[in-house]
Amino acid sequence: MLPVALDCMGGDNAPREIVAGAVAAFREHDVPLVLVGPARRIRGLLAEHGMAGQIPIVHTDESLDMDEGALASWRKPRSTVAIACELIKHGKAGALVSAGSTAGVVATSAVRLKTAVGIMRPAIAVTLPTRPRPTVLLDAGATADAKPEMLVQFAMLGTAFAQIRLDVPHPRVGLLTIGAEAGKGNKLSKKAQELLSAAPIEFAGNVEGHDLLRGRVDVIVTDGFTGNIALKTMEGTIRVAVNELRAALTGSRTAKIGAALQRKELQALTARFDSETYGGGVLLGLNGAVVIAHGAAGARGIAAACKLGYDLSVGGLTERVKDQLHAATKPSRFSRRHPADPVGGPPAGG
Amino acid sequence: MLPVALDCMGGDNAPREIVAGAVAAFREHDVPLVLVGPARRIRGLLAEHGMAGQIPIVHTDESLDMDEGALASWRKPRSTVAIACELIKHGKAGALVSAGSTAGVVATSAVRLKTAVGIMRPAIAVTLPTRPRPTVLLDAGATADAKPEMLVQFAMLGTAFAQIRLDVPHPRVGLLTIGAEAGKGNKLSKKAQELLSAAPIEFAGNVEGHDLLRGRVDVIVTDGFTGNIALKTMEGTIRVAVNELRAALTGSRTAKIGAALQRKELQALTARFDSETYGGGVLLGLNGAVVIAHGAAGARGIAAACKLGYDLSVGGLTERVKDQLHAATKPSRFSRRHPADPVGGPPAGG
């Protein structure tokens, strides 16, 4: 099986924690890896783990800064991320893992890997810590201006992702909109509803903001603007709620005692809804899976990201999407609802 | 001063709690009122409070159902909400308060009151329980497909509202988008940024989802689709967080003790972020303020809504907006950025 290309210079704790994570992934999960970054330095770190020479290294001195924006791909043709993408393109790696700046990683990999055949735009999928099962939300910010057809493709990408990530054979897909009834929403979501009902996926209808954490569906689809705002609103709300509670708990003396008894529970809650824990996002829709680990990820987070990247490439993410697109473009299914002249147009304010 | 027209038949607890709320508003806040609904029944309820004949009543038997949709305005020309709007139109009331279905109230009042001169679309403003000062978020769902110019008008509406509601002379306005830097966002928000910087308001730049509860600005502007999803995500997240915590607290024995000590704090937190507490929304941009109280509102909630409606009409909400629009259309300020041919067009996916 193809190894996972790991960007050793991305993230706040690079390269030390990244390499430590690689070692953990290799030892604990048998993930085949290729490390991309400054060879000598990486070799040294591997040696510290007694792993010198046991994981292949592809050398490059260039790397993306954490504040790197969309121009990264052009400004740094030999960045660790760019090189990792080349490895995938040339069939030397099956997935890319980086804890680098999301904007930089998205821009670079989109330019280098290109979108898969039939996919218009990539989408970032995040796995929300819902109960009893997690929920996949996409797009979390890769495509801010989406067309209805793109949301349908996001639904397919999310379905393929959930099949592998959540091990659900037929993931139920919900459309994030306002008002649960069909026909509610803005122009984009109304058109998307129509197309989604005709798509070869398990469309479960509309979900609203308060359903985000209810685990009612396996996949929640939306445009990158709405998805990013919903996600950050969720994170920010949890943070505020926990802080407020902490404050309240130091209010009365009895409460103080209670607080002491429960610091653990509060921490657990914060942790569970912290993107660092539920672990960054995955850029879907390109020729190769791109796992964007949290910038602050430590060895544990990196190891998990490598495992996920490996699972996605072994699970044949790209092939699954291809199959769905194929099913979707069968005249019998699609042409009815999919006039030659592109549908949708301005989803909002047009 | 003009009285507040109160829909006595809207909400889960109508008419009993509504009339009780009216009595409280009248007694505790000296709010002049006119009650709209079935005269005999209302007279009876007033009598129970020893207030028979002390608050004028305008009779109608028709009222909106709680599941009433956008067609309400046409299907029920004599609904309590429709009659209350007529009172405002004929200068017999200064504001409308209803705990009826949001869709029904919005549709009816939009058709009856019409948007104020120069305002393209109405917006629903909600007051978020941020610290140290609350934050006004609009649009929470009145206009799902907004144009950039509408967001500028929402900013003016929000500014006027915050001046009265939060008593801030120069409210700072933030634009809800993704990525704090200027130029980030989708087409709609990017164009809106441009127009907002030229508008006669205190534009404080972009805010992100996690800033929603940080109280960084006094007013947060967004389209009705995004605003509604952000709001419901916030409410849903708080609910889940508190439930999770409750569950966690019944886990260990020590924790159980802690929980007992703190039920109060948990309840306070839930209450604070419950829309029922921070009290429904206000429909802005029409010829007259429309306060949409929470459907489950009790006497307390209704009294607060009546007080707010009265403050808005006494505070001259409509005039304040007019002044801003006037300032905005001064050639010196605006024409530069505001070509005759409407700017913006399809904000997303176009």
Side-chain angles (χ1 to χ4, degrees):
Chain A
M1 280 309 304
L2 288 171
V4 170
L6 175 60
D7 163 17
C8 292
M9 299 308 287
D12 311 339
N13 310 315
R16 178 166 293 281
E17 286 293 308
I18 310 294
V19 173
V23 170
F26 180 85
R27 285 181 175 158
E28 296 157 31
H29 308 296
D30 306 310
V31 175
L33 291 156
V34 47
L35 307 180
V36 184
R40 173 171 298 134
R41 197 149 167 215
I42 295 173
R43 213 174 288 119
L45 289 165
L46 280 176
E48 293 181 15
H49 296 275
M51 293 275 295
Q54 291 189 56
I55 302 180
I57 301 170
V58 170
H59 173 81
T60 179
D61 286 323
E62 209 167 48
S63 62
L64 303 179
D65 305 326
M66 281 316 279
D67 60 356
E68 204 78 60
L71 291 174
S73 42
W74 308 110
R75 289 187 33 249
K76 298 192 171 170
R78 288 198 47 79
S79 69
T80 44
V81 176
I83 299 297
C85 290
E86 293 309 312
L87 289 172
I88 293 175
K89 267 172 71 179
H90 295 96
K92 300 212 158 42
L96 154 62
V97 172
S98 173
S101 102
T102 303
V105 175
V106 169
T108 305
S109 48
V111 167
R112 304 263 157 184
L113 295 177
K114 304 254 180 334
T115 53
V117 181
I119 297 291
M120 302 175 187
R121 297 280 177 84
I124 295 176
V126 296
T127 307
L128 302 176
T130 51
R131 301 243 164 110
R133 250 207 328 265
T135 306
V136 171
L137 172 74
L138 79 167
D139 175 20
T143 304
D145 291 292
K147 288 192 161 66
E149 298 80 353
M150 294 176 188
L151 294 193
V152 176
Q153 298 190 337
F154 293 173
M156 295 176 179
L157 293 169
T159 296
F161 179 73
Q163 286 171 339
I164 301 171
R165 177 80 158 85
L166 311 184
D167 193 23
V168 186
H170 304 291
R172 303 179 65 246
V173 180
L175 174 68
L176 183 60
T177 183
I178 63 180
E181 315 77 23
K184 282 289 197 83
N186 60 4
K187 289 179 186 169
L188 171 62
S189 60
K190 282 186 220 164
K191 187 69 207 174
Q193 276 168 49
E194 209 180 300
L195 299 178
L196 282 166
S197 342
I201 52 151
E202 294 291 329
F203 183 49
N206 296 348
V207 298
E208 295 189 77
H210 52 245
D211 299 321
L212 211 61
L213 294 178
R214 270 194 198 156
R216 284 187 45 212
V217 293
D218 304 297
V219 178
I220 295 179
V221 168
T222 184
D223 62 276
F225 185 82
T226 309
N228 184 280
I229 284 176
L231 189 67
K232 289 187 170 169
T233 298
M234 179 201 90
E235 289 178 15
T237 303
I238 288 287
R239 224 170 289 135
V240 169
V242 170
N243 292 340
E244 294 274 331
L245 212 51
R246 281 228 180 77
L249 296 186
T250 55
S252 68
R253 190 160 156 291
T254 47
K256 220 181 248 138
I257 304 165
L261 297 174
Q262 276 157 47
R263 200 152 292 113
K264 234 204 287 74
E265 282 78 4
L266 274 177
Q267 278 161 356
L269 181 68
T270 329
R272 212 177 115 228
F273 286 94
D274 180 349
S275 54
E276 188 171 342
T277 317
Y278 63 75
V282 178
L283 186 62
L284 302 173
L286 303 180
N287 293 304
V290 178
V291 179
I292 306 169
H294 195 283
R300 290 279 270 346
I302 296 298
C306 291
K307 173 80 165 62
L308 173 56
Y310 187 61
D311 291 345
L312 292 173
S313 92
V314 172
L317 178 71
T318 330
E319 295 64 30
R320 288 171 190 258
V321 174
K322 213 171 287 167
D323 298 345
Q324 288 186 56
L325 282 169
H326 178 70
T329 45
K330 280 201 201 111
S332 56
R333 283 211 83 117
F334 219 55
S335 57
R336 278 203 323 285
R337 321 225 176 186
H338 207 297
D341 144 46
V343 213
Chain B
M1 282 308 304
L2 288 171
V4 170
L6 176 59
D7 163 16
C8 292
M9 298 309 287
D12 311 339
N13 309 315
R16 178 165 291 282
E17 286 293 308
I18 309 294
V19 173
V23 170
F26 179 86
R27 285 182 176 158
E28 294 157 32
H29 309 295
D30 306 309
V31 175
L33 292 156
V34 47
L35 308 180
V36 184
R40 175 171 296 134
R41 194 147 169 219
I42 294 172
R43 213 176 287 118
L45 290 165
L46 280 175
E48 293 181 15
H49 295 276
M51 295 275 294
Q54 291 188 56
I55 302 180
I57 301 170
V58 172
H59 173 80
T60 180
D61 286 323
E62 208 168 47
S63 61
L64 303 179
D65 305 326
M66 280 316 278
D67 61 357
E68 204 78 60
L71 291 174
S73 43
W74 308 111
R75 288 187 34 248
K76 298 191 170 169
R78 287 197 48 78
S79 70
T80 45
V81 175
I83 299 298
C85 289
E86 293 308 312
L87 289 172
I88 293 175
K89 268 173 69 179
H90 296 98
K92 300 214 158 38
L96 154 61
V97 172
S98 174
S101 101
T102 303
V105 175
V106 169
T108 305
S109 47
V111 168
R112 304 262 157 185
L113 295 177
K114 304 255 183 331
T115 53
V117 181
I119 297 290
M120 302 174 186
R121 297 281 178 84
I124 295 175
V126 297
T127 308
L128 302 175
T130 51
R131 300 243 164 110
R133 251 207 328 265
T135 306
V136 171
L137 172 74
L138 78 167
D139 174 21
T143 304
D145 291 292
K147 287 192 164 67
E149 297 79 355
M150 294 176 188
L151 294 193
V152 176
Q153 298 190 336
F154 293 172
M156 295 177 179
L157 293 170
T159 296
F161 179 73
Q163 286 172 340
I164 301 171
R165 177 80 158 85
L166 310 183
D167 194 22
V168 187
H170 305 291
R172 303 178 67 246
V173 180
L175 174 68
L176 183 60
T177 183
I178 62 179
E181 315 77 26
K184 281 289 198 83
N186 60 4
K187 288 179 186 167
L188 170 62
S189 60
K190 281 186 220 163
K191 187 69 205 175
Q193 276 169 50
E194 209 179 301
L195 298 178
L196 282 166
S197 344
I201 52 151
E202 295 289 330
F203 183 49
N206 296 348
V207 298
E208 295 189 78
H210 52 245
D211 299 322
L212 211 61
L213 294 179
R214 269 195 199 155
R216 283 188 46 212
V217 293
D218 303 298
V219 178
I220 295 177
V221 168
T222 184
D223 62 276
F225 184 81
T226 309
N228 185 279
I229 284 175
L231 188 66
K232 289 188 169 166
T233 298
M234 180 200 90
E235 290 178 15
T237 304
I238 289 286
R239 223 170 290 136
V240 169
V242 170
N243 293 341
E244 294 274 331
L245 212 50
R246 281 227 180 78
L249 296 186
T250 55
S252 68
R253 189 160 156 293
T254 47
K256 223 181 244 139
I257 305 165
L261 297 174
Q262 270 157 51
R263 200 152 293 115
K264 235 206 286 77
E265 281 78 5
L266 273 177
Q267 280 161 353
L269 181 69
T270 329
R272 211 175 115 229
F273 286 95
D274 180 348
S275 56
E276 190 171 339
T277 316
Y278 64 77
V282 177
L283 186 61
L284 303 174
L286 303 180
N287 293 305
V290 178
V291 180
I292 305 168
H294 195 284
R300 287 282 265 349
I302 296 298
C306 292
K307 174 79 166 62
L308 174 56
Y310 189 59
D311 292 345
L312 292 174
S313 93
V314 172
L317 179 70
T318 330
E319 294 64 31
R320 288 172 191 258
V321 174
K322 215 170 285 164
D323 297 346
Q324 288 184 58
L325 282 169
H326 179 70
T329 46
K330 280 202 200 106
S332 55
R333 282 209 85 113
F334 219 56
S335 58
R336 279 201 322 285
R337 322 224 177 186
H338 207 296
D341 147 47
V343 210

